[in-house]
Amino acid sequence: MKPSLILFLLSCLLAAETISAQQVDKYASQRQMMIEEIASDASRLVKYIDKDSVSDRVMQSMATVPRHLFIPPEMRDEAYENRPLPIGYGQTISQPYIVALMTDLLQPQPDHKVLEIGTGSGYQAAVLSGLVKEVYSIEIIDKLGLTAKRVLKQLGYDNVSTRIADGYDGWPEHAQFDSIIVTAGISHIPPPLVKQLKNGGTMVIPVGTRFQTQQLTLVKKDLNGAITTKQILPVIFVPFTGGH
Ligand code: SAH
Protein backbone atom coordinates (compact mmCIF):
# COMPACT_ATOMS: atom_id res chain seq x y z
CA MET A 1 0.00 0.00 0.00
CA LYS A 2 1.26 3.48 -0.92
CA PRO A 3 2.32 5.62 2.07
CA SER A 4 -0.06 8.37 0.90
CA LEU A 5 -2.97 5.91 0.95
CA ILE A 6 -2.03 4.75 4.45
CA LEU A 7 -1.93 8.39 5.57
CA PHE A 8 -5.33 9.02 3.98
CA LEU A 9 -6.86 5.97 5.71
CA LEU A 10 -5.31 6.99 9.01
CA SER A 11 -6.74 10.50 8.79
CA CYS A 12 -10.20 9.07 7.97
CA LEU A 13 -9.95 6.86 11.02
CA LEU A 14 -8.92 9.80 13.21
CA ALA A 15 -11.78 11.93 11.84
CA ALA A 16 -14.29 9.19 12.58
CA GLU A 17 -12.97 8.88 16.12
CA THR A 18 -13.24 12.62 16.66
CA ILE A 19 -16.86 12.61 15.51
CA SER A 20 -17.88 9.81 17.84
CA ALA A 21 -15.96 11.42 20.73
CA GLN A 22 -17.77 14.69 19.99
CA GLN A 23 -21.13 12.88 20.01
CA VAL A 24 -20.40 11.27 23.35
CA ASP A 25 -19.15 14.63 24.67
CA LYS A 26 -22.19 16.45 23.37
CA TYR A 27 -24.46 14.32 25.55
CA ALA A 28 -22.04 14.35 28.47
CA SER A 29 -22.03 18.14 28.58
CA GLN A 30 -25.83 18.29 28.13
CA ARG A 31 -26.17 15.80 30.96
CA GLN A 32 -23.92 17.94 33.14
CA MET A 33 -26.07 20.98 32.36
CA MET A 34 -29.16 19.01 33.37
CA ILE A 35 -27.48 18.18 36.69
CA GLU A 36 -26.67 21.85 37.27
CA GLU A 37 -30.26 22.78 36.51
CA ILE A 38 -31.59 20.19 38.98
CA ALA A 39 -29.15 21.47 41.60
CA SER A 40 -30.29 25.06 41.09
CA ASP A 41 -33.95 23.96 41.17
CA ALA A 42 -33.18 22.31 44.48
CA SER A 43 -33.70 25.56 46.38
CA ARG A 44 -37.38 25.02 45.48
CA LEU A 45 -37.16 21.79 47.45
CA VAL A 46 -36.93 23.55 50.79
CA LYS A 47 -40.61 24.32 50.91
CA TYR A 48 -41.55 20.74 50.04
CA ILE A 49 -39.01 18.64 51.91
CA ASP A 50 -36.85 19.76 54.77
CA LYS A 51 -33.66 20.23 52.79
CA ASP A 52 -32.35 22.34 49.95
CA SER A 53 -30.57 19.75 47.84
CA VAL A 54 -30.96 16.31 46.34
CA SER A 55 -28.56 13.81 47.95
CA ASP A 56 -25.14 13.40 46.32
CA ARG A 57 -25.72 9.71 45.61
CA VAL A 58 -28.91 10.47 43.66
CA MET A 59 -27.25 13.31 41.75
CA GLN A 60 -24.32 11.03 40.95
CA SER A 61 -26.66 8.42 39.51
CA MET A 62 -28.54 11.04 37.46
CA ALA A 63 -25.16 12.24 36.17
CA THR A 64 -24.23 8.81 34.84
CA VAL A 65 -27.45 7.37 33.35
CA PRO A 66 -27.58 8.09 29.57
CA ARG A 67 -31.13 9.51 29.46
CA HIS A 68 -30.91 9.97 25.67
CA LEU A 69 -30.79 6.19 25.19
CA PHE A 70 -34.19 5.75 26.89
CA ILE A 71 -36.15 7.96 24.52
CA PRO A 72 -37.09 7.62 20.84
CA PRO A 73 -34.05 8.38 18.60
CA GLU A 74 -35.71 11.38 16.91
CA MET A 75 -36.01 13.14 20.29
CA ARG A 76 -32.49 12.46 21.62
CA ASP A 77 -31.31 16.06 21.26
CA GLU A 78 -34.02 17.10 23.74
CA ALA A 79 -33.23 14.31 26.19
CA TYR A 80 -31.53 16.50 28.78
CA GLU A 81 -34.00 19.37 28.84
CA ASN A 82 -35.66 19.65 32.24
CA ARG A 83 -39.11 18.58 31.05
CA PRO A 84 -41.10 15.41 30.39
CA LEU A 85 -40.90 13.88 26.88
CA PRO A 86 -43.20 11.56 24.92
CA ILE A 87 -42.04 7.93 24.74
CA GLY A 88 -44.90 6.62 22.55
CA TYR A 89 -48.27 4.98 23.32
CA GLY A 90 -49.44 8.25 24.92
CA GLN A 91 -46.91 7.90 27.75
CA THR A 92 -44.10 10.19 28.95
CA ILE A 93 -40.71 9.96 30.59
CA SER A 94 -40.81 12.22 33.66
CA GLN A 95 -39.01 15.54 33.96
CA PRO A 96 -35.45 14.99 35.34
CA TYR A 97 -36.10 17.21 38.37
CA ILE A 98 -39.13 15.09 39.34
CA VAL A 99 -37.13 11.86 38.82
CA ALA A 100 -34.42 13.26 41.13
CA LEU A 101 -36.92 14.39 43.75
CA MET A 102 -38.91 11.12 43.77
CA THR A 103 -35.72 9.04 43.91
CA ASP A 104 -34.42 11.15 46.80
CA LEU A 105 -37.69 10.80 48.72
CA LEU A 106 -37.22 7.02 48.69
CA GLN A 107 -33.90 7.46 50.54
CA PRO A 108 -32.40 4.60 48.52
CA GLN A 109 -29.78 2.47 50.30
CA PRO A 110 -27.33 -0.09 48.82
CA ASP A 111 -29.15 -3.03 50.45
CA HIS A 112 -32.66 -1.95 49.36
CA LYS A 113 -35.17 -3.81 47.22
CA VAL A 114 -37.39 -1.37 45.33
CA LEU A 115 -40.63 -1.85 43.37
CA GLU A 116 -41.51 0.54 40.56
CA ILE A 117 -44.99 0.66 38.99
CA GLY A 118 -44.83 2.15 35.47
CA THR A 119 -41.52 1.13 33.84
CA GLY A 120 -42.25 3.36 30.82
CA SER A 121 -38.87 3.98 29.18
CA GLY A 122 -36.89 2.27 31.95
CA TYR A 123 -35.07 5.52 32.84
CA GLN A 124 -36.30 5.77 36.45
CA ALA A 125 -35.41 2.10 36.97
CA ALA A 126 -31.90 2.79 35.61
CA VAL A 127 -31.45 5.76 37.98
CA LEU A 128 -32.44 3.50 40.89
CA SER A 129 -30.29 0.60 39.68
CA GLY A 130 -26.98 2.08 40.84
CA LEU A 131 -28.41 3.16 44.19
CA VAL A 132 -30.01 -0.03 45.51
CA LYS A 133 -29.53 -3.80 45.46
CA GLU A 134 -32.53 -4.83 43.36
CA VAL A 135 -35.16 -3.03 41.31
CA TYR A 136 -38.45 -4.69 40.26
CA SER A 137 -40.42 -2.75 37.69
CA ILE A 138 -43.88 -3.44 36.24
CA GLU A 139 -45.33 -1.98 33.03
CA ILE A 140 -48.85 -2.53 31.70
CA ILE A 141 -48.14 -1.68 28.01
CA ASP A 142 -46.26 -4.68 26.66
CA LYS A 143 -44.40 -2.88 23.83
CA LEU A 144 -43.04 -0.25 26.24
CA GLY A 145 -42.12 -2.84 28.84
CA LEU A 146 -40.30 -5.01 26.30
CA THR A 147 -38.36 -2.07 24.84
CA ALA A 148 -37.36 -0.92 28.32
CA LYS A 149 -36.26 -4.45 29.22
CA ARG A 150 -34.04 -4.60 26.11
CA VAL A 151 -32.45 -1.17 26.71
CA LEU A 152 -31.82 -1.90 30.40
CA LYS A 153 -30.17 -5.19 29.46
CA GLN A 154 -28.05 -3.65 26.68
CA LEU A 155 -26.79 -0.98 29.06
CA GLY A 156 -25.95 -3.53 31.74
CA TYR A 157 -28.50 -2.61 34.43
CA ASP A 158 -28.49 -6.22 35.56
CA ASN A 159 -30.16 -5.75 38.94
CA VAL A 160 -33.41 -4.54 37.31
CA SER A 161 -36.13 -7.16 36.75
CA THR A 162 -39.10 -6.19 34.61
CA ARG A 163 -42.54 -7.62 34.14
CA ILE A 164 -45.56 -6.89 31.94
CA ALA A 165 -48.63 -6.79 34.18
CA ASP A 166 -51.12 -4.55 35.95
CA GLY A 167 -49.00 -3.07 38.71
CA TYR A 168 -52.00 -2.47 40.98
CA ASP A 169 -51.38 -5.89 42.50
CA GLY A 170 -47.66 -5.28 42.98
CA TRP A 171 -45.23 -8.18 42.69
CA PRO A 172 -46.08 -10.46 45.64
CA GLU A 173 -43.41 -13.06 44.77
CA HIS A 174 -40.68 -10.49 45.55
CA ALA A 175 -42.35 -8.63 48.45
CA GLN A 176 -41.57 -7.14 50.96
CA PHE A 177 -40.06 -3.98 49.45
CA ASP A 178 -38.03 -1.31 51.25
CA SER A 179 -39.62 1.25 48.97
CA ILE A 180 -42.18 1.55 46.20
CA ILE A 181 -42.32 4.23 43.52
CA VAL A 182 -45.46 4.70 41.43
CA THR A 183 -44.99 6.79 38.28
CA ALA A 184 -48.62 7.05 37.11
CA GLY A 185 -51.39 9.10 38.72
CA ILE A 186 -54.09 7.22 40.63
CA SER A 187 -57.14 8.21 42.70
CA HIS A 188 -56.02 6.27 45.79
CA ILE A 189 -53.09 4.34 47.25
CA PRO A 190 -53.48 0.69 46.14
CA PRO A 191 -53.90 -1.53 49.24
CA PRO A 192 -51.83 -4.39 47.71
CA LEU A 193 -48.86 -2.01 47.45
CA VAL A 194 -49.27 -0.90 51.07
CA LYS A 195 -49.29 -4.57 52.04
CA GLN A 196 -46.08 -5.25 50.11
CA LEU A 197 -44.21 -2.35 51.74
CA LYS A 198 -41.89 -3.36 54.59
CA ASN A 199 -42.40 -1.94 58.05
CA GLY A 200 -40.17 1.13 58.09
CA GLY A 201 -40.62 1.45 54.30
CA THR A 202 -41.45 4.41 52.05
CA MET A 203 -43.72 4.81 49.04
CA VAL A 204 -43.90 7.77 46.64
CA ILE A 205 -47.06 8.01 44.56
CA PRO A 206 -48.96 10.73 42.64
CA VAL A 207 -52.50 10.69 44.06
CA GLY A 208 -55.36 12.55 42.40
CA THR A 209 -57.87 12.83 39.62
CA ARG A 210 -57.29 11.59 36.08
CA PHE A 211 -55.66 14.16 33.73
CA GLN A 212 -55.64 16.79 36.49
CA THR A 213 -53.00 17.79 38.96
CA GLN A 214 -52.16 15.10 41.46
CA GLN A 215 -50.40 15.45 44.79
CA LEU A 216 -47.06 13.68 44.95
CA THR A 217 -47.62 11.78 48.18
CA LEU A 218 -45.05 10.33 50.55
CA VAL A 219 -46.38 7.25 52.33
CA LYS A 220 -44.49 5.93 55.36
CA LYS A 221 -45.10 2.62 57.09
CA ASP A 222 -43.65 2.73 60.58
CA LEU A 223 -42.01 -0.15 62.42
CA ASN A 224 -45.39 -1.23 63.80
CA GLY A 225 -47.01 -1.15 60.35
CA ALA A 226 -48.94 2.11 60.88
CA ILE A 227 -49.34 4.32 57.80
CA THR A 228 -48.84 8.09 57.57
CA THR A 229 -49.10 10.17 54.41
CA LYS A 230 -47.73 13.58 53.51
CA GLN A 231 -48.47 15.61 50.40
CA ILE A 232 -45.23 16.88 48.87
CA LEU A 233 -46.10 18.92 45.78
CA PRO A 234 -48.58 19.12 42.89
CA VAL A 235 -47.56 17.08 39.83
CA ILE A 236 -49.09 15.88 36.57
CA PHE A 237 -48.56 12.24 35.66
CA VAL A 238 -50.16 10.06 32.99
CA PRO A 239 -53.06 7.99 34.40
CA PHE A 240 -52.65 4.69 36.20
CA THR A 241 -54.65 2.31 34.01
CA GLY A 242 -55.74 -1.29 34.43
CA GLY A 243 -58.69 -2.95 36.06
CA HIS A 244 -58.74 -1.56 39.61
N1 SAH B 1 -41.06 5.70 35.08
C1 SAH B 1 -41.16 5.90 33.65
C2 SAH B 1 -42.23 6.91 33.25
C3 SAH B 1 -43.53 6.34 33.44
S1 SAH B 1 -44.91 6.99 32.59
C4 SAH B 1 -39.84 6.30 33.03
O1 SAH B 1 -38.86 6.47 33.75
O2 SAH B 1 -39.82 6.43 31.81
C5 SAH B 1 -46.07 5.95 33.44
C6 SAH B 1 -46.08 4.52 32.99
O3 SAH B 1 -46.99 3.82 33.83
C7 SAH B 1 -46.59 4.35 31.56
O4 SAH B 1 -45.66 3.66 30.80
C8 SAH B 1 -47.88 3.54 31.76
O5 SAH B 1 -48.14 2.64 30.71
C9 SAH B 1 -47.60 2.82 33.07
N2 SAH B 1 -48.79 2.34 33.76
C10 SAH B 1 -50.01 2.94 33.86
N3 SAH B 1 -50.84 2.17 34.57
C11 SAH B 1 -50.15 1.06 34.94
C12 SAH B 1 -50.50 -0.12 35.67
N4 SAH B 1 -51.71 -0.32 36.15
N5 SAH B 1 -49.53 -1.05 35.87
C13 SAH B 1 -48.27 -0.87 35.35
N6 SAH B 1 -47.91 0.22 34.64
C14 SAH B 1 -48.83 1.17 34.43
Side-chain angles (χ1 to χ4, degrees):
M1 208 185 289
K2 277 189 189 162
S4 58
L5 184 61
I6 294 177
L7 264 179
F8 172 72
L9 287 175
L10 256 178
S11 62
C12 288
L13 210 73
L14 279 174
E17 264 185 14
T18 319
I19 288 169
S20 69
Q22 271 169 358
Q23 275 168 356
V24 170
D25 258 347
K26 175 175 146 193
Y27 288 118
S29 61
Q30 288 186 13
R31 189 155 55 245
Q32 189 50 37
M33 277 163 66
M34 175 189 85
I35 292 298
E36 282 160 21
E37 215 169 303
I38 294 172
S40 81
D41 274 0
S43 55
R44 282 163 43 194
L45 287 176
V46 189
K47 61 178 187 248
Y48 301 121
I49 54 177
D50 302 325
K51 57 185 202 169
D52 62 1
S53 62
V54 171
S55 80
D56 286 347
R57 285 186 78 233
V58 173
M59 289 297 259
Q60 186 58 40
S61 182
M62 301 273 308
T64 48
V65 176
R67 183 171 161 93
H68 61 281
L69 298 180
F70 289 88
I71 60 171
E74 64 276 13
M75 306 213 60
R76 289 211 169 133
D77 284 348
E78 294 159 64
Y80 295 97
E81 291 174 17
N82 196 12
R83 64 183 174 91
L85 290 172
I87 51 171
Y89 308 94
Q91 308 305 318
T92 52
I93 180 173
S94 306
Q95 175 187 3
Y97 167 69
I98 293 292
V99 174
L101 175 63
M102 288 176 82
T103 309
D104 200 48
L105 285 168
L106 298 179
Q107 296 186 297
Q109 302 299 322
D111 61 342
H112 275 185
K113 182 156 73 163
V114 182
L115 174 67
E116 178 189 28
I117 310 299
T119 315
S121 68
Y123 175 70
Q124 173 73 70
V127 169
L128 281 165
S129 165
L131 297 168
V132 300
K133 190 160 173 231
E134 292 163 39
V135 181
Y136 293 88
S137 185
I138 306 178
E139 171 57 50
I140 202 165
I141 299 178
D142 56 355
K143 290 218 169 69
L144 276 179
L146 293 173
T147 304
K149 185 189 181 84
R150 180 173 44 77
V151 174
L152 287 162
K153 190 164 191 294
Q154 275 169 355
L155 296 174
Y157 294 104
D158 295 333
N159 61 347
V160 180
S161 306
T162 58
R163 176 186 190 185
I164 311 292
D166 184 340
Y168 190 86
D169 300 319
W171 200 332
E173 296 82 352
H174 292 288
Q176 302 286 98
F177 298 99
D178 296 281
S179 59
I180 300 180
I181 177 167
V182 179
T183 62
I186 184 162
S187 61
H188 61 280
I189 303 166
L193 298 186
V194 175
K195 205 168 159 199
Q196 290 171 34
L197 189 63
K198 267 188 196 168
N199 284 1
T202 305
M203 185 185 331
V204 181
I205 176 168
V207 180
T209 337
R210 244 168 188 260
F211 298 112
Q212 287 185 359
T213 308
Q214 302 108 28
Q215 282 292 332
L216 189 63
T217 305
L218 184 64
V219 181
K220 292 254 185 204
K221 198 184 216 182
D222 74 12
L223 294 175
N224 301 315
I227 299 294
T228 51
T229 63
K230 182 180 173 195
Q231 295 190 341
I232 304 293
L233 84 164
V235 285
I236 300 180
F237 275 80
V238 293
F240 197 106
T241 60
H244 63 274

